[in-house]
């Protein structure tokens, strides 16, 4: 046993001895299994070994979502390597320092939620003691040991698939400015009366309802070509490159949820326009307008803004009015031709002031004919 410059007990190879650390032995064993190495460095030592300043190392560490640990010996070779890689991208001019910090933050935030979900939901169901008298902690280690390599491979696979899809969308943008500020259709889908449900339902029932809603919405949005931006318990935010796709998703959500007796009613608000994208999220007036429209939408109905309605009319997904559609059908019949086929209908609603956005004119979106396959 040796003592390092911080006074921490270490074994012969410089790693912290679990018996001397004061931490839970199983927690340390799990940490070492998952990280692939034992605790070896203080933050200062890790920064020095990686060749970066302590200030930059701290910025990266906090950006990834980890708490300050002072100068405790808690870091591994993997932490040093991660610092080297991020700093190397900056030194090579591939990323600015601010962008490298943003990469650390976006990765940390995304994977933190994934890790919490896996430990709280997935592993919880798999670590039920197989025999009477065994504790959950006694079976957690072997379960993690078996799952770790498979989950890691699957994570990399999904990430590469998502990266390829995102890259494909980016290269199709003709204007460089649109890579950040793009014209998108944005939609919010909100469960009606969710606050009242939280007071009436048991926690487990409420959790199952939210999970069913999020799962159904996520599957439907992905299947129809949209992108799930985020879930907020009783609400989902999604985006699509065109108004027609977003409209189909909205109506499918209403139709699917209304057919499930266990689900509350749903309302959807959508807007079309310029959207700023940052770290996988979307911001701007278009997003705010979609949110406001959701709050005033009738139950089991979809409201869209004027720009969204105009886009559907421009792409011939909807007529400008039912009167126009009737005139076109009559003219086509007279000429012996097939009438135009519109997927959606639009009904102008009452104009009303919306806080922070002035006076808006919502349009009620409906389906004309059968849903597309």
């Amino acid at each position: 046993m040796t003592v390092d410059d911080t006074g921490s007990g270490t074994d012969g190879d410089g790693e912290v001895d679990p018996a001397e650390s004061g931490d839970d032995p199983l927690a340390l064993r799990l940490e070492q299994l998952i990280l692939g190495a034992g605790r070896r460095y203080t933050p200062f030592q890790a920064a020095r070994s990686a060749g970066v300043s302590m200030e930059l190392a701290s910025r990266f560490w906090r950006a990834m979502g980890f708490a300050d640990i002072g100068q405790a010996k808690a870091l591994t070779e993997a932490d040093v390597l991660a610092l080297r890689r991020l700093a190397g991208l900056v030194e090579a001019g591939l990323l600015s320092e601010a962008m490298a910090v943003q990469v650390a933050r976006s990765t940390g935030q995304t994977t933190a939620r994934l890790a919490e979900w896996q430990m709280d939901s997935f592993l919880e169901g798999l670590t039920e003691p197989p025999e009477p008298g065994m504790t959950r902690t006694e079976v957690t280690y072997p379960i993690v040991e078996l799952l770790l390599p498979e989950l890691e491979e699957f994570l990399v696979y999904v990430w590469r698939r998502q990266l390829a899809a995102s890259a494909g969308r980016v290269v199709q943008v003709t204007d460089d400015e649109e890579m950040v500020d793009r014209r998108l259709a944005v939609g919010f889908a909100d469960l009606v009366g969710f606050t009242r449900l939280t007071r009436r339902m048991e926690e487990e029932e409420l959790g199952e309802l939210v999970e069913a809603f999020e799962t159904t919405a996520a599957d439907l949005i992905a299947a129809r070509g949209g992108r799930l931006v985020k879930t907020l318990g009783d609400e989902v935010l999604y985006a699509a490159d065109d108004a027609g796709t977003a409209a189909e998703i909205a109506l499918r959500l209403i139709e699917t949820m209304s057919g499930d007796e266990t689900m509350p009613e749903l309302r959807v608000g959508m807007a079309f326009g310029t959207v700023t994208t940052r770290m996988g999220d979307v911001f701007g007036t278009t997003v705010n307008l979609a949110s406001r429209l959701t709050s005033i939408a009738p139950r089991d109905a979809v409201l869209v803004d004027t720009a969204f309605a105009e886009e559907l009319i421009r792409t011939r997904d909807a007529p400008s009015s039912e009167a126009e559609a009737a005139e076109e059908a009559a003219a086509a019949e007279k000429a012996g031709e097939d009438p135009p086929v519109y997927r959606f209908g639009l009904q102008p609603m009452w104009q009303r002031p919306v806080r922070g956005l002035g006076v808006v004119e919502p349009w009620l979106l409906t389906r004309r004919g059968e849903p597309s396959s």
Side-chain angles (χ1 to χ4, degrees):
M1 174 75 66
T2 60
V3 177
D4 69 7
D5 56 0
T6 65
S8 298
T10 63
D11 58 23
D13 62 1
E15 293 186 358
V16 173
D17 186 341
E20 301 292 330
S21 69
D23 292 314
D24 182 86
L26 177 61
L28 283 174
R29 287 181 62 217
L30 279 171
E31 178 187 288
Q32 186 164 340
L33 169 66
I34 294 169
L35 297 180
R39 299 177 178 183
R40 186 180 186 87
Y41 300 97
T42 67
F44 176 79
Q45 291 169 336
R48 184 175 60 186
S49 182
V52 303
S53 68
M54 185 63 203
E55 179 185 2
L56 182 58
S58 295
R59 289 185 66 195
F60 284 150
W61 185 254
R62 291 167 184 162
M64 286 185 284
F66 301 120
D68 291 339
I69 56 174
Q71 285 304 317
K73 183 166 280 193
L75 305 184
T76 71
E77 292 287 351
D79 296 303
V80 173
L81 181 58
L83 286 176
R84 281 187 193 143
R85 283 176 171 160
L86 281 173
L89 292 173
V90 175
E91 290 172 5
L94 296 173
L95 293 177
S96 66
E97 186 174 305
M99 182 59 71
V101 171
Q102 192 175 65
V103 167
R105 178 170 290 111
S106 61
T107 306
Q109 289 179 357
T110 303
T111 53
R113 184 179 182 189
L114 174 62
E116 288 290 340
W117 182 88
Q118 289 177 334
M119 292 305 296
D120 290 345
S121 302
F122 188 50
L123 292 180
E124 181 179 354
L126 288 178
T127 54
E128 290 296 335
E131 297 180 10
M134 291 187 69
T135 65
R136 186 181 301 277
T137 56
E138 289 174 320
V139 295
T140 297
Y141 188 94
I143 289 294
V144 171
E145 190 173 28
L146 289 171
L147 286 174
L148 187 62
E150 301 301 326
L151 292 178
E152 182 177 16
E153 289 291 334
F154 188 69
L155 174 62
V156 173
Y157 156 74
V158 175
W159 171 72
R160 284 183 177 272
R161 266 290 176 188
Q162 292 288 2
L163 194 63
S166 180
R169 290 192 294 267
V170 168
V171 297
Q172 293 178 31
V173 177
T174 56
D175 188 342
D176 286 347
E177 292 184 1
E178 289 187 19
M179 289 187 181
V180 175
D181 297 319
R182 304 167 56 191
R183 285 179 64 77
L184 295 174
V186 178
F188 281 92
D190 177 65
L191 292 175
V192 178
F194 185 77
T195 302
R196 291 194 301 274
L197 285 176
T198 60
R199 294 194 292 264
R200 194 171 70 238
M201 298 179 69
E202 297 291 336
E203 288 185 5
E204 185 174 349
E205 290 179 303
L206 195 63
E208 291 175 354
L209 184 146
V210 169
E211 184 175 358
F213 168 58
E214 291 184 349
T215 300
T216 301
D219 288 349
L220 197 153
I221 290 166
R224 305 309 302 180
R227 179 170 67 87
L228 179 66
V229 177
K230 59 186 174 184
T231 59
L232 305 168
D234 62 331
E235 187 174 61
V236 297
L237 168 60
Y238 70 94
D241 292 330
D242 62 273
T245 296
E248 181 64 33
I249 290 171
L251 292 173
R252 290 266 183 171
L253 283 170
I254 294 290
E255 291 158 359
T256 301
M257 297 298 179
S258 62
D260 187 342
E261 295 181 355
T262 66
M263 280 290 168
E265 294 164 305
L266 193 69
R267 53 190 176 193
V268 182
M270 296 189 293
F272 184 84
T274 301
V275 174
T276 298
T277 59
R278 289 287 188 278
M279 293 174 60
D281 208 342
V282 291
F283 306 91
T285 302
T286 302
V287 180
N288 295 339
L289 181 53
S291 177
R292 298 288 191 275
L293 289 172
T294 306
S295 66
I296 63 174
R299 295 166 181 257
D300 284 339
V302 182
L303 288 186
V304 304
D305 74 325
T306 298
F308 195 107
E310 290 174 347
E311 184 66 11
L312 287 180
I313 294 169
R314 184 189 70 80
T315 57
R316 305 291 290 174
D317 281 310
S320 59
S321 67
E322 290 302 317
E324 179 190 68
E327 290 175 3
E328 290 177 338
E333 183 179 2
K334 186 175 181 180
E337 301 173 351
D338 292 330
V341 177
Y342 297 104
R343 290 196 289 163
F344 310 112
L346 292 165
Q347 178 185 338
M349 305 291 282
W350 64 99
Q351 288 189 348
R352 61 181 296 172
V354 174
R355 181 168 52 86
L357 298 171
V359 177
V360 299
E361 180 182 15
W363 295 68
L364 181 68
L365 178 75
T366 56
R367 187 184 295 284
R368 301 177 95 250
E370 294 296 320
S372 59
S373 59

